[in-house]
Amino acid sequence: MINVSKIKEGIVIDHIKAGQGYKIFQQLGLDKINDVVVLMRNVPSEKMGVKDLIKIETPLEINFDILGLIDPDVSVNYIKDGKLFKKVKLTLPKSVVGILKCPNPRCITNTERIQNVRFDLVDKENKLYACEYCEARTKL
């Protein structure tokens, strides 16, 4: 097994469903960071069997809506001086703005330049969100 050292200051995104780590990595734009970022896939876990894990060795502003859409069961651990100082548990966001795109080709959001379109959670089990303009349903 590969050993990755503890980070002194930064963020650990833990309990990511196996296979979702790369999607989170892309959506958060972690490939554009010049600091150390480690994506570990299929890490053995007693609780989950296997999981993905992301370590970011820098303080960073995280978009919890994106994380919650991809995998609402992740936990975000903030590390300072090598120790956990804050833990955030996520849930599916009730609404998201400016992240999703309406799948309805006739929706005004696809024909006009409308920014920051809001989508509201309408089906928690299936992670479905409805467009504020036409109510078409979509998910990330």
Side-chain angles (χ1 to χ4, degrees):
M1 180 149 136
I2 297 173
N3 245 347
V4 176
S5 62
K6 290 170 55 173
I7 61 176
K8 292 177 178 59
E9 185 171 356
I11 300 167
V12 177
I13 305 172
D14 199 0
H15 303 109
I16 304 170
K17 285 186 189 102
Q20 294 295 310
Y22 187 66
K23 190 173 190 178
I24 290 172
F25 185 90
Q26 287 180 309
Q27 291 293 321
L28 293 179
L30 298 178
D31 56 329
K32 295 169 180 68
I33 295 175
N34 290 326
D35 293 300
V36 176
V37 178
V38 177
L39 166 61
M40 296 172 33
R41 297 180 56 220
N42 300 317
V43 177
S45 166
E46 287 182 26
K47 185 177 173 182
M48 300 175 70
V50 291
K51 66 180 179 179
D52 290 355
L53 177 79
I54 298 173
K55 290 186 174 189
I56 308 162
E57 192 150 1
T58 187
L60 182 69
E61 197 65 35
I62 296 281
N63 187 327
F64 292 124
D65 287 343
I66 289 175
L67 273 178
L69 282 172
I70 297 171
D71 188 348
D73 299 321
V74 303
S75 57
V76 180
N77 303 309
Y78 289 88
I79 310 297
K80 194 167 192 156
D81 298 322
K83 296 185 176 154
L84 175 71
F85 82 93
K86 179 179 169 187
K87 186 173 198 149
V88 177
K89 285 289 213 177
L90 299 181
T91 58
L92 272 176
K94 292 190 187 334
S95 66
V96 294
V97 177
I99 297 172
L100 298 175
K101 182 176 177 357
C102 186
N104 178 1
R106 293 188 211 136
C107 180
I108 192 168
T109 63
N110 289 317
T111 58
E112 302 289 327
R113 292 186 185 239
I114 299 174
Q115 295 184 359
N116 297 324
V117 178
R118 188 184 80 243
F119 286 80
D120 297 311
L121 182 63
V122 292
D123 183 346
K124 187 175 183 177
E125 185 176 316
N126 294 307
K127 298 183 187 178
L128 288 175
Y129 287 81
C131 172
E132 73 176 303
Y133 289 93
C134 71
E135 297 187 10
R137 294 175 179 212
T138 189
K139 61 180 164 179
L140 184 67

